Amino acid sequence: MTKQVEQLEQVTIRFAGDSGDGMQLAGGRFTSETALVGNDLSTLPDFPAEIRAPAGSLPGVSGFQLHFADHDILTPGDAPDVLVAMNPAALKTNLRDLPKGGTLIVNRDAFTDRNLDKAGYATSPLEDGSLDEFHLHEVPLTTLTLEALKDVEVTKREAERSKNMFALGLMSWLYHRPTETTIAYLERKFASKPAIAEANVKAFKAGWAYGETSEDFVVSYEVAPAQLPPGTYRNITGNQALGMGLIAASVKSGLPLFLGAYPITPASEILENLSRHKRFGVRTFQAEDEIAAVGAALGASFGGALGVCTSSGPGVVLKGETVGLAVTLELPLLILDIQRAGPSTGMPTKPEQADLLMVLFGRNAESPVPVVAAATPGGCFDAALEAARIALKYRTPVYLLSDAYLANGSEPWLLPDAAALPEIPVEFATKPNRDGEFLPYVRDPETLAREWAIPGTPGLEHRIGGLEKQDETGNVSYDPDNHDHMVRLRAQKVAGIAADIPELEVDDPDGASLLVLGWGGTYGPITAAVRRVRKEGKKVAQAHLTHLNPFPRNTGEVLRSYDRVLVPEMNLGQLSKLVRADFLVDAVGYNRVRGVPLRASELAEAIEAML
């Protein structure tokens, strides 16, 4: 039968099932094919926090959401247009996000009495009329997969596990995604197990054929390629971009990269990625705990390397004492905080941006530290370069903030010209600097950074340690006036970085009276919301902070030029507090701590309410 093809501008799809159902693999492959088509895209993988939740249970549901379009987009979508639910638990967990009239594809075979009971259903939603407001497609995914693989030499369990590829094949047909590269990927991935490779490929093709021949699907959809700037693109996650940015900083500074890390969600992928790049001189060290990881990184900096450690909120807490030591030693150190929902263990796989006040003030005494925040998955590359530049130039620890949304989400990334990336000049002390003697705390008059002397350099022996240093000599000092002087010098050094960073840019084409100020991973939802409001003819300005300590030098001037300031955050108002305290501006917070990214539609409503 000839089937109708409908053109769409954008679509949001969510795959959901057990953590063992392969939803991340299916979503990742659909994303890769979508990137090859040329659509702009944004993804949001959603992992269960439980390592081995019981099959079919609500805590064990894994999801993958993909938003793709024929134009520039900034978020993985507020809500799915299509929900693929592999079992009752996946349906119950995700159905509340599917708008009325949305498309719902379920694996009918999974709706057994036992699975319904695990998900908390008293009756089957496929039979009680509760799904009547959706476009429901009941597909016997398991049965059809087993039938397609009856001649393949795999066990029944192995055949059933291929049902995610059947679902992927069906969705690939429905949205005109190419198939060749997925088939090649499966053959390559399972090359050592030919029967498994054959089963996955056959299931994928069977899913495509089902969409082509089934009377249940009479319309398929096309989304035209987006008009993106010319160049070579790759799909990239925030954690991948951070790793590449650190390698680029290592190359551009001429310093070996050392990463000390203890595995923690959602930062572990950075350690895993960097461990593959020894050819760039990268050294990775999986420490026994968080304190050892940061201690090793600081030791590497003392030895002349680019010392980096990665963690999330619970681990960053433990690193505070060593960061304070780095403040006193005045050595470069990068601390990457991939934020997650807390406090304590909290929700390990869910995003939040509630560590801002901790990285600013979570140490004893006066210990100011620069803070840089990434705004997009691809932007994590630039944030890593900038954080490294500041740390190396000013001899200071620097916090780089990302979050679980940026870390795991992906987008098309225009590959930069490596040769065009700015150099990060680093000079080590090589000779005495005062009357034939080496004084380690003699400072550069412009940056106030002290000299960096590699251990073992003849004639440059000097003390290090946590006790207060005498100005210039570095000797231990308990003199009250010297302590006051050194505290103020360290603070002045960090404050002076404001002269070396870009001014805060404001997007205000119409002369608005309301400014929406954001930081970090809220950039996409804020920008999408601002676009919606402007599309309705209303005026609103937007600014987004990359540098959170020190603030850009024109921040106060910008904030005071607007009648009202709205600050959306995935916390209870941490940037709002800073803005009100530092600039005496009556900023209003828009605060959500739900463990999911802000929704552009809800934020647009808040902006309109203020207007």
Side-chain angles (χ1 to χ4, degrees), residues 54 72 139 152 161 246 275 330 337 393 416 446 497 536 570:
D72 173 40
V139 182
V152 182
R161 292 183 65 181
L246 293 173
S275 66
E330 299 191 49
D337 180 1
K393 182 174 181 178
E446 179 182 347
I497 296 171
E536 296 180 2
M570 290 190 288

Side-chain angles (χ1 to χ4, degrees), residues 28 62 140 269 377 379 395 451 472 549 570 575:
S62 175
E269 186 186 10
R395 311 282 195 267
E451 291 200 68
E472 295 193 343
N549 192 42
M570 290 190 288
L575 178 60

Side-chain angles (χ1 to χ4, degrees), residues 481-527:
D481 291 335
N482 178 79
H483 178 57
D484 183 271
H485 176 66
M486 295 297 283
V487 167
R488 293 180 187 277
L489 268 179
R490 290 188 289 261
Q492 185 181 348
K493 180 177 69 171
V494 172
I497 296 171
D500 191 28
I501 61 177
E503 291 191 342
L504 180 61
E505 294 184 1
V506 182
D507 175 18
D508 185 5
D510 305 311
S513 61
L514 170 64
L515 172 70
V516 182
L517 178 70
W519 70 276
T522 58
Y523 173 77
I526 290 174
T527 307

Side-chain angles (χ1 to χ4, degrees), residues 387-443:
R389 181 191 73 85
I390 293 173
L392 293 171
K393 182 174 181 178
Y394 292 90
R395 311 282 195 267
T396 177
V398 176
Y399 279 102
L400 171 53
L401 295 177
S402 176
D403 61 55
Y405 161 47
L406 298 180
N408 298 316
S410 65
E411 65 179 0
W413 181 54
L414 178 61
L415 294 181
D417 179 1
L421 294 175
E423 300 294 329
I424 304 177
V426 175
E427 293 185 7
F428 294 111
T430 58
K431 59 185 179 181
N433 55 11
R434 182 72 58 82
D435 299 328
E437 183 182 2
F438 177 66
L439 303 179
Y441 281 83
V442 168
R443 300 176 183 276

Side-chain angles (χ1 to χ4, degrees), residues 163-415:
K163 63 182 179 292
N164 65 325
M165 289 297 105
F166 189 101
L168 176 61
L170 172 58
M171 297 303 293
S172 297
W173 172 84
L174 192 61
Y175 290 96
H176 292 240
R177 304 295 95 177
T179 60
E180 296 81 4
T181 50
T182 290
I183 292 172
Y185 168 84
L186 293 171
E187 291 173 343
R188 185 171 63 252
K189 178 178 176 65
F190 300 107
S192 62
K193 300 177 180 179
I196 299 297
E198 181 184 2
N200 278 275
V201 170
K202 273 199 168 185
F204 176 72
K205 291 180 176 178
W208 177 283
Y210 179 81
E212 183 74 21
T213 59
S214 171
E215 295 183 6
D216 194 25
F217 294 90
V218 295
V219 178
S220 63
Y221 306 92
E222 285 185 346
V223 179
Q227 297 300 311
L228 300 174
T232 302
Y233 288 80
R234 63 155 288 172
N235 191 45
I236 198 166
T237 67
N239 276 349
Q240 291 169 343
L242 282 175
M244 292 184 185
L246 293 173
I247 293 174
S250 171
V251 171
K252 289 300 179 177
S253 65
L255 301 180
L257 173 61
F258 177 90
L259 174 68
Y262 180 75
I264 183 173
T265 302
S268 300
E269 186 186 10
I270 304 171
L271 170 63
E272 296 162 3
N273 286 339
L274 285 177
S275 66
R276 304 187 183 107
H277 294 294
K278 295 181 178 66
R279 64 187 182 279
F280 287 105
V282 177
R283 295 292 178 267
T284 55
F285 168 56
Q286 181 172 318
E288 65 269 29
D289 56 45
E290 297 282 2
I291 299 172
V294 68
L298 182 56
S301 291
F302 177 59
L306 175 57
V308 183
C309 60
T310 57
S311 191
S312 190
V316 173
V317 170
L318 296 170
K319 299 180 188 295
E321 183 180 10
T322 305
V323 175
L325 175 60
V327 170
T328 296
L329 299 182
E330 299 191 49
L331 285 172
L333 175 68
L334 290 185
I335 311 100
L336 277 59
D337 180 1
I338 317 303
Q339 300 165 97
R340 71 188 205 189
S344 186
T345 311
M347 298 193 294
T349 60
K350 311 302 180 184
E352 203 164 273
Q353 52 175 180
D355 292 353
L356 177 57
L357 295 182
M358 177 182 70
V359 300
L360 283 171
F361 308 116
R363 294 167 300 284
N364 66 300
E366 297 287 345
S367 50
V369 172
V371 178
V372 174
T376 64
C380 288
F381 177 88
D382 303 295
L385 269 175
E386 174 65 356
R389 181 191 73 85
I390 293 173
L392 293 171
K393 182 174 181 178
Y394 292 90
R395 311 282 195 267
T396 177
V398 176
Y399 279 102
L400 171 53
L401 295 177
S402 176
D403 61 55
Y405 161 47
L406 298 180
N408 298 316
S410 65
E411 65 179 0
W413 181 54
L414 178 61
L415 294 181

